[in-house]
C-alpha cells in the first residue's frame, strides 16, 4: 500500500511542466493528479500478474491424498515437490480468503506442524489446499479436526470507533505531511487529495470490525482476523502452549484487550499467533481462563483415552500383543 501512495504523489513529478499562457502550475497539478493513481493501478496489476505466475508454477499439478495417519501431496512445474503432513503433528490450521476469493466462494488451507522445515522452508507450515471451493476446504478441515459450524463472537462496537479514529488519524497525518511538502518545496502538489479518503473511513472501520472475532468450542479455539486477507485459525486445545492477555495503551482507553494463543508451530516463532483482538477487557480475562482450563481438561481426557479409559495415566506406553 505504501508503494501505491508513493506512486500517487511522486509520479506527478514525471509529468513535464506545461509553460504556456500561465497555465503551467494548474495543468501540471491536474495531469499529475490523474497520472499518479494510474501508475499505482498499473504497478498493482503487474504485481498481481507476477504473483499469479509464480504461484501457478509452484502449485502446478497439485494433488493431495489422505491416509489414516498423514496427508501426501505433489506439486510443481519447474521443480517437482512431494511430501507428507503427519496428522499427529498438526498444531493449527488456517483458512485464508482474500477479497476476490470470498466473492467467488474460494479459500485455501494451511496446516502447521511441529518442527521440520519441509520442502517450502517454512518451518512446518504447509499448504494443504492452495485453492479450492470454500466448502471443500472446510470439509478437509473438519475431517482432520471436527470443528463444525463456527459461530463467531465479534468485538464490542466501541472497537469499531477505535478503528475509525485510527484511520482518520492516518489520513490527517498524510494530508499534513503533503501540505508541509507543498509549502516548502513542491508548489504544484495536490496536498488535499488524501482528504477524499475520509469518505471511506467509516465503511473501512466497519469491515475491519465485521471480520474480527473468536469462537470457543468444546475442543477448539478459533480466531478470525483480516479483511483484505481474512485468516481463520483453528487450534485444538491440547495443542496450546501458552495463552496470555494483553492491552496496549490505546486499547486501555476503551477498556479493550487481546488474547494470544501460542502453539509449538513455526508461525508462532514469527509472531503470527492466533489472536482474539479488541475484546472487552472482562472477556479477555474470561477467555484466557477458559482456554487454559480447556487445555488441561483436553490433555487429561486424551491421557485417559490412551490409557484405555480407566482414568490411569501410564508412565510408559502400553505394549502391543502379537496378533
Amino acid at each position: 500500500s505504501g508503494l501505491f501512495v508513493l506512486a500517487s504523489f511522486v509520479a506527478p513529478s514525471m509529468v513535464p511542466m506545461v509553460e504556456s499562457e500561465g497555465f503551467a502550475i494548474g495543468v501540471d497539478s491536474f495531469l499529475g493528479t490523474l497520472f499518479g493513481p494510474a501508475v499505482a493501478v498499473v504497478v498493482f496489476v503487474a504485481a498481481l500478474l507476477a504473483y499469479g505466475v509464480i504461484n501457478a508454477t509452484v502449485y502446478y499439478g497439485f494433488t493431495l491424498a489422505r491416509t489414516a495417519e498423514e496427508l501426501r501431496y505433489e506439486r510443481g512445474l519447474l521443480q517437482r515437490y512431494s511430501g507428507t503432513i503427519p496428522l499427529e503433528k498438526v498444531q493449527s490450521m488456517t483458512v485464508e480468503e482474500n477479497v476476490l476469493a470470498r466473492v467467488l466462494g474460494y479459500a485455501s488451507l494451511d496446516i502447521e506442524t511441529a518442527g521440520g522445515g519441509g520442502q517450502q522452508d517454512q518451518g512446518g507450515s504447509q499448504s494443504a489446499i492452495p485453492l479450492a471451493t470454500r466448502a471443500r476446504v472446510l470439509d478437509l478441515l473438519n475431517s482432520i479436526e471436527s470443528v463444525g459450524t463456527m459461530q463467531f463472537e465479534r468485538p464490542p462496537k466501541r472497537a469499531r470507533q477505535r478503528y475509525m479514529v485510527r484511520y482518520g488519524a492516518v489520513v490527517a497525518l498524510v494530508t499534513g505531511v503533503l501540505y508541509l511538502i507543498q509549502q516548502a518545496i513542491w508548489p504544484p502538489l495536490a496536498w488535499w487529495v488524501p482528504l477524499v479518503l475520509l469518505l471511506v473511513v467509516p465503511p473501512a472501520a466497519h469491515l475491519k470490525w465485521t471480520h474480527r472475532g473468536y469462537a470457543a468450542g468444546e475442543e477448539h479455539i478459533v480466531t478470525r482476523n483480516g479483511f483484505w486477507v481474512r485468516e481463520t485459525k483453528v487450534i485444538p486445545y491440547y495443542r496450546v502452549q501458552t495463552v496470555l492477555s494483553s492491552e496496549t495503551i490505546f486499547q486501555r482507553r476503551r477498556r479493550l484487550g487481546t488474547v494470544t494463543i501460542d502453539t509449538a508451530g513455526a508461525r508462532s516463532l514469527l509472531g503470527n499467533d492466533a489472536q482474539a483482538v479488541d475484546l472487552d477487557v472482562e472477556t479477555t480475562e474470561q477467555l484466557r481462563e477458559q482456554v487454559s482450563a480447556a487445555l488441561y481438561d483436553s490433555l487429561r481426557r486424551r491421557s485417559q483415552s490412551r490409557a484405555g479409559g480407566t482414568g490411569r495415566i501410564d508412565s510408559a506406553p502400553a505394549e502391543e500383543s502379537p496378533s
Side-chain angles (χ1 to χ4, degrees):
S1 60
L3 178 61
F4 305 145
V5 172
L6 182 65
S8 298
F9 297 103
V10 174
S13 64
M14 301 171 62
V15 181
M17 294 290 289
V18 181
E19 299 180 353
S20 60
E21 300 181 5
F23 291 103
I25 293 180
V27 173
D28 180 60
S29 179
F30 176 74
L31 293 179
T33 302
L34 295 179
F35 185 67
V39 171
V41 171
V42 171
V43 172
F44 179 70
V45 173
L48 284 181
L49 291 176
Y51 181 76
V53 171
I54 293 173
N55 275 345
T57 59
V58 170
Y59 292 106
Y60 178 83
F62 181 89
T63 59
L64 181 70
R66 176 174 177 173
T67 65
E69 299 181 350
E70 62 187 14
L71 297 174
R72 299 177 180 176
Y73 65 88
E74 292 185 2
R75 61 172 176 80
L77 176 62
L78 301 180
Q79 186 174 1
R80 196 69 179 169
Y81 293 98
S82 62
T84 61
I85 304 175
L87 297 180
E88 65 176 9
K89 292 187 177 181
V90 172
Q91 300 295 304
S92 66
M93 293 177 289
T94 303
V95 179
E96 294 187 356
E97 308 161 271
N98 60 37
V99 176
L100 181 59
R102 290 202 301 272
V103 172
L104 299 178
Y106 283 81
S108 63
L109 177 64
D110 286 347
I111 296 180
E112 188 177 14
T113 57
Q119 297 287 351
Q120 293 174 299
D121 292 328
Q122 291 181 349
S125 179
Q126 300 288 343
S127 180
I129 300 181
L131 184 64
T133 61
R134 191 171 191 273
R136 188 175 180 183
V137 168
L138 294 180
D139 285 344
L140 177 60
L141 185 150
N142 278 280
S143 71
I144 300 173
E145 295 286 348
S146 182
V147 179
T149 303
M150 295 172 284
Q151 300 293 334
F152 291 94
E153 296 288 338
R154 292 177 182 171
K157 292 184 178 180
R158 63 179 181 274
R160 182 169 53 188
Q161 299 172 356
R162 177 174 175 251
Y163 306 148
M164 290 180 61
V165 173
R166 180 193 301 176
Y167 295 156
V170 171
V171 173
L173 177 62
V174 172
T175 303
V177 170
L178 292 177
Y179 176 77
L180 293 177
I181 294 175
Q182 187 265 345
Q183 292 293 319
I185 59 175
W186 203 351
L189 186 64
W191 60 268
W192 44 266
V193 171
L195 293 177
V196 178
L197 296 177
L198 290 176
L199 298 176
V200 301
V201 165
H206 178 74
L207 290 173
K208 187 179 185 67
W209 175 79
T210 300
H211 290 83
R212 271 188 168 166
Y214 75 95
E218 295 183 359
E219 302 291 339
H220 309 82
I221 178 70
V222 185
T223 64
R224 184 176 68 182
N225 291 285
F227 168 72
W228 297 109
V229 179
R230 188 172 68 187
E231 292 188 347
T232 304
K233 296 180 179 291
V234 179
I235 301 177
Y237 288 126
Y238 67 90
R239 293 302 190 187
V240 174
Q241 295 291 308
T242 59
V243 54
L244 59 92
S245 58
S246 60
E247 303 169 33
T248 67
I249 186 173
F250 301 106
Q251 287 178 318
R252 286 200 296 269
R253 295 180 62 251
R254 297 184 180 273
R255 292 185 55 78
L256 300 172
T258 297
V259 177
T260 302
I261 302 98
D262 179 41
T263 66
R267 288 193 174 192
S268 297
L269 299 176
L270 300 175
N272 196 16
D273 296 304
Q275 291 186 322
V277 184
D278 286 337
L279 305 182
D280 185 86
V281 67
E282 287 80 11
T283 304
T284 60
E285 299 300 320
Q286 294 173 3
L287 182 59
R288 185 192 64 192
E289 296 300 325
Q290 179 181 350
V291 174
S292 297
L295 164 62
Y296 292 114
D297 183 61
S298 178
L299 291 175
R300 182 169 54 253
R301 285 187 283 108
R302 287 175 63 85
S303 297
Q304 291 174 353
S305 175
R306 291 176 179 176
T310 62
R312 177 175 56 87
I313 302 177
D314 295 337
S315 58
E319 296 182 358
E320 294 183 358
S321 59
S323 55

XYZ file of all heavy atoms in Angstrom, residues 4 41-57 100:
140
model
N 1.764 2.273 -3.493
C 0.705 2.944 -4.233
C 0.573 4.404 -3.810
O 0.357 5.297 -4.626
C -0.623 2.218 -4.022
C -0.552 0.761 -4.367
C -1.268 -0.182 -3.645
C 0.262 0.320 -5.400
C -1.186 -1.519 -3.953
C 0.352 -1.023 -5.724
C -0.370 -1.943 -4.989
N -2.191 1.959 -10.212
C -3.020 0.853 -10.695
C -2.212 -0.094 -11.575
O -2.312 -1.322 -11.462
C -4.243 1.397 -11.466
C -4.996 0.260 -12.158
C -5.182 2.130 -10.517
N -1.381 0.469 -12.464
C -0.553 -0.357 -13.345
C 0.411 -1.211 -12.535
O 0.583 -2.414 -12.787
C 0.209 0.528 -14.353
C 1.228 -0.301 -15.126
C -0.768 1.193 -15.319
N 1.064 -0.599 -11.540
C 2.002 -1.339 -10.698
C 1.267 -2.445 -9.940
O 1.768 -3.569 -9.814
C 2.709 -0.384 -9.716
C 3.535 -1.171 -8.690
C 3.606 0.582 -10.473
N 0.082 -2.143 -9.438
C -0.699 -3.127 -8.682
C -1.071 -4.314 -9.563
O -0.924 -5.474 -9.169
C -1.954 -2.454 -8.129
C -2.847 -3.380 -7.358
C -2.459 -3.879 -6.125
C -4.081 -3.754 -7.870
C -3.277 -4.734 -5.406
C -4.909 -4.614 -7.167
C -4.508 -5.101 -5.925
N -1.554 -4.035 -10.777
C -1.933 -5.109 -11.693
C -0.718 -5.943 -12.087
O -0.789 -7.177 -12.142
C -2.632 -4.523 -12.938
C -2.870 -5.606 -13.986
C -3.954 -3.881 -12.546
N 0.414 -5.285 -12.351
C 1.627 -6.018 -12.710
C 2.079 -6.923 -11.570
O 2.514 -8.063 -11.792
C 2.736 -5.030 -13.075
N 1.978 -6.435 -10.331
C 2.369 -7.254 -9.182
C 1.454 -8.462 -9.041
O 1.907 -9.566 -8.734
C 2.335 -6.408 -7.904
N 0.153 -8.258 -9.260
C -0.792 -9.373 -9.187
C -0.480 -10.429 -10.243
O -0.516 -11.630 -9.970
C -2.220 -8.864 -9.360
C -2.863 -8.154 -8.168
C -4.282 -7.741 -8.513
C -2.859 -9.042 -6.929
N -0.180 -9.981 -11.467
C 0.127 -10.933 -12.540
C 1.393 -11.718 -12.225
O 1.450 -12.936 -12.433
C 0.275 -10.179 -13.867
C -1.014 -9.568 -14.438
C -0.703 -8.765 -15.695
C -2.036 -10.651 -14.741
N 2.430 -11.025 -11.727
C 3.675 -11.713 -11.388
C 3.455 -12.724 -10.268
O 3.956 -13.853 -10.322
C 4.738 -10.692 -10.978
N 2.685 -12.325 -9.279
C 2.381 -13.231 -8.162
C 1.607 -14.446 -8.650
O 1.851 -15.572 -8.218
C 1.590 -12.481 -7.097
C 1.233 -13.301 -5.884
C 2.195 -13.603 -4.917
C -0.061 -13.765 -5.695
C 1.869 -14.350 -3.801
C -0.391 -14.516 -4.584
C 0.576 -14.799 -3.635
O 0.244 -15.550 -2.535
N 0.663 -14.214 -9.562
C -0.116 -15.322 -10.097
C 0.724 -16.301 -10.890
O 0.547 -17.520 -10.777
N 1.662 -15.783 -11.698
C 2.531 -16.653 -12.488
C 3.418 -17.498 -11.581
O 3.595 -18.705 -11.794
C 3.388 -15.816 -13.455
C 4.450 -16.679 -14.116
C 2.499 -15.174 -14.520
N 3.976 -16.874 -10.538
C 4.832 -17.612 -9.611
C 4.055 -18.726 -8.916
O 4.512 -19.873 -8.816
C 5.449 -16.655 -8.573
C 6.418 -15.694 -9.255
C 6.151 -17.431 -7.466
C 6.955 -14.618 -8.354
N 2.856 -18.410 -8.436
C 2.040 -19.428 -7.767
C 1.630 -20.540 -8.722
O 1.536 -21.708 -8.326
C 0.798 -18.786 -7.148
C 1.074 -18.230 -5.765
O 2.081 -18.554 -5.148
N 0.190 -17.388 -5.290
N 1.363 -20.166 -9.985
C 0.965 -21.184 -10.957
C 2.074 -22.200 -11.187
O 1.812 -23.401 -11.332
C 0.576 -20.514 -12.278
N 3.329 -21.750 -11.209
C 4.442 -22.685 -11.393
C 4.707 -23.503 -10.136
O 5.039 -24.679 -10.211
C 5.715 -21.923 -11.784
O 6.034 -20.966 -10.762
C 5.522 -21.187 -13.096
N -11.280 -11.269 -3.277
C -11.782 -11.872 -4.509
C -12.209 -13.316 -4.273
O -13.233 -13.767 -4.794
C -10.708 -11.801 -5.599
C -11.092 -12.365 -6.968
C -12.309 -11.627 -7.515
C -9.923 -12.281 -7.932
